[in-house]
Structures are given as structure tokens and as C-alpha cells.
Coordinates of all heavy atoms in Angstrom, one line a residue:
T27 N -140.1 9.7 -19.7 CA -139.3 10.6 -20.6 C -138.7 11.6 -19.5 O -139.5 12.3 -18.6 CB -140.2 11.4 -21.5 OG1 -140.8 10.3 -22.3 CG2 -139.5 12.3 -22.4
Q28 N -137.5 11.9 -19.7 CA -136.6 12.8 -18.8 C -137.3 14.3 -19.0 O -137.6 14.7 -20.1 CB -135.3 12.8 -19.2 CG -134.3 13.3 -18.1 CD -132.8 13.0 -18.3 OE1 -132.3 13.3 -19.5 NE2 -132.2 12.4 -17.4
G29 N -137.4 15.1 -17.9 CA -138.0 16.3 -17.9 C -136.9 17.4 -17.8 O -135.9 17.3 -18.5
S30 N -137.1 18.4 -16.9 CA -136.2 19.5 -17.0 C -134.9 19.2 -16.2 O -134.0 20.2 -16.1 CB -137.0 20.6 -16.1 OG -137.4 20.2 -14.9
S31 N -134.8 18.2 -15.6 CA -133.6 17.8 -14.9 C -133.3 16.3 -15.0 O -134.3 15.7 -15.2 CB -133.6 18.3 -13.3 OG -134.5 17.4 -12.8
P32 N -132.0 15.7 -14.8 CA -131.9 14.4 -14.9 C -132.7 13.7 -13.9 O -132.9 12.3 -14.2 CB -130.4 14.2 -14.6 CG -129.7 15.6 -15.0 CD -130.8 16.6 -14.5
E33 N -133.2 14.1 -12.9 CA -133.9 13.4 -11.9 C -135.4 13.5 -12.1 O -136.2 12.6 -11.4 CB -133.6 14.0 -10.5 CG -132.2 13.8 -10.0 CD -131.4 14.9 -10.6 OE1 -131.9 16.0 -11.1 OE2 -130.0 14.8 -10.6
K34 N -135.9 14.1 -13.1 CA -137.3 14.3 -13.2 C -137.8 13.5 -14.5 O -137.2 13.7 -15.5 CB -137.8 15.7 -13.4 CG -137.6 16.6 -12.0 CD -138.1 17.9 -12.3 CE -137.9 18.8 -11.0 NZ -138.6 18.3 -9.8
F35 N -138.7 12.8 -14.3 CA -139.3 11.9 -15.3 C -140.8 11.8 -15.3 O -141.5 11.9 -14.4 CB -138.9 10.3 -15.2 CG -137.5 10.2 -15.7 CD1 -136.4 10.5 -14.9 CD2 -137.2 9.7 -17.1 CE1 -135.1 10.3 -15.4 CE2 -135.9 9.5 -17.5 CZ -134.9 9.8 -16.8
E36 N -141.3 12.0 -16.6 CA -142.8 11.9 -16.8 C -143.1 10.5 -17.3 O -142.5 10.2 -18.2 CB -143.3 13.0 -17.7 CG -144.8 13.0 -18.0 CD -145.2 14.0 -19.1 OE1 -144.5 15.1 -19.3 OE2 -146.3 13.9 -19.6
V37 N -144.1 9.9 -16.6 CA -144.3 8.5 -17.0 C -145.8 8.5 -17.7 O -146.7 9.1 -17.3 CB -144.4 7.6 -15.8 CG1 -144.9 6.2 -16.1 CG2 -143.1 7.7 -15.0
K38 N -145.8 7.7 -18.8 CA -147.0 7.4 -19.7 C -147.2 6.1 -19.6 O -146.4 5.2 -20.0 CB -146.8 8.1 -21.1 CG -148.0 7.9 -21.9 CD -147.8 8.3 -23.5 CE -147.2 9.7 -23.7 NZ -147.2 10.0 -25.1
K39 N -148.4 5.7 -19.3 CA -148.8 4.3 -19.4 C -149.4 4.1 -20.8 O -150.3 4.8 -21.2 CB -150.0 4.0 -18.3 CG -150.4 2.6 -18.3 CD -151.3 2.3 -17.2 CE -151.8 0.7 -17.2 NZ -152.6 0.5 -15.9
L40 N -149.0 2.9 -21.3 CA -149.5 2.7 -22.8 C -150.3 1.5 -22.7 O -150.0 0.5 -22.4 CB -148.2 2.3 -23.6 CG -147.2 3.4 -23.7 CD1 -145.9 3.0 -24.4 CD2 -147.6 4.8 -24.2
E41 N -151.6 1.8 -23.0 CA -152.7 0.7 -23.2 C -153.4 0.6 -24.6 O -154.0 1.8 -24.9 CB -153.7 0.9 -22.1 CG -153.2 0.7 -20.7 CD -154.2 0.9 -19.6 OE1 -155.0 1.9 -19.7 OE2 -154.5 0.0 -18.7
P42 N -153.2 -0.3 -25.3 CA -152.4 -1.5 -25.0 C -151.0 -1.1 -25.1 O -150.6 -0.1 -25.7 CB -152.8 -2.5 -26.2 CG -153.2 -1.5 -27.3 CD -153.9 -0.3 -26.6
P43 N -150.0 -2.1 -24.7 CA -148.6 -1.9 -24.8 C -148.1 -1.6 -26.2 O -148.7 -2.1 -27.2 CB -148.0 -3.1 -24.3 CG -149.0 -3.7 -23.4 CD -150.3 -3.3 -24.0
R44 N -147.1 -0.7 -26.4 CA -146.7 -0.4 -27.8 C -145.8 -1.5 -28.1 O -144.9 -1.9 -27.4 CB -146.0 0.9 -27.6 CG -145.4 1.2 -29.1 CD -144.4 2.5 -29.0 NE -145.2 3.6 -28.4 CZ -144.4 4.6 -27.7 NH1 -143.1 4.5 -27.6 NH2 -145.2 5.6 -27.2
E45 N -145.8 -2.0 -29.4 CA -145.1 -3.1 -29.8 C -143.9 -2.5 -30.6 O -144.0 -1.9 -31.7 CB -145.9 -4.0 -30.7 CG -147.0 -4.6 -30.1 CD -147.8 -5.7 -30.9 OE1 -147.2 -5.8 -32.1 OE2 -148.7 -6.3 -30.4
D46 N -142.7 -2.7 -30.0 CA -141.4 -2.2 -30.6 C -140.7 -3.2 -31.3 O -140.4 -4.2 -30.7 CB -140.7 -1.4 -29.6 CG -139.3 -0.8 -30.2 OD1 -139.5 0.3 -30.8 OD2 -138.3 -1.5 -30.3
T47 N -140.2 -3.0 -32.5 CA -139.3 -3.9 -33.3 C -137.9 -3.3 -33.7 O -137.4 -3.6 -34.6 CB -140.1 -4.6 -34.4 OG1 -140.4 -3.6 -35.4 CG2 -141.3 -5.4 -34.1
G48 N -137.7 -2.1 -33.0 CA -136.5 -1.4 -33.3 C -135.6 -1.5 -32.3 O -135.2 -2.5 -31.9
F49 N -135.1 -0.2 -31.8 CA -133.9 -0.2 -30.8 C -134.3 -0.9 -29.5 O -133.5 -1.8 -29.0 CB -133.6 1.3 -30.5 CG -132.6 1.4 -29.4 CD1 -131.2 1.4 -29.6 CD2 -133.0 1.7 -28.1 CE1 -130.4 1.4 -28.6 CE2 -132.2 1.8 -27.0 CZ -130.8 1.7 -27.3
Y50 N -135.4 -0.6 -28.9 CA -135.8 -1.3 -27.7 C -135.9 -2.7 -27.7 O -135.4 -3.4 -26.8 CB -137.2 -0.7 -27.1 CG -137.0 0.9 -26.8 CD1 -137.6 1.8 -27.7 CD2 -136.2 1.2 -25.7 CE1 -137.5 3.2 -27.4 CE2 -136.1 2.7 -25.5 CZ -136.9 3.5 -26.3 OH -136.7 4.9 -25.9

């Protein structure tokens, strides 16, 4: 997820993986 600037990202590990049936 983008943070305070376009170059900064916060990463979250999803365990178990999130199952997406929408946009992604």
C-alpha cells in the first residue's frame, strides 16, 4: 500500500493468502 509519497510502500503478508474474485 502506497504511503506518504509515491516511492514509499507498506507491505503486509497475508497468511493464508486472500482469495480475490473481484478486480484483482
Side-chain angles (χ1 to χ4, degrees):
T27 303
Q28 200 169 53
S30 57
S31 74
E33 296 79 19
K34 293 185 180 298
F35 279 83
E36 179 181 340
V37 178
K38 181 187 297 184
K39 183 176 182 179
L40 304 176
E41 292 183 310
R44 182 191 304 154
E45 299 182 358
D46 183 82
T47 56
F49 174 84
Y50 294 109

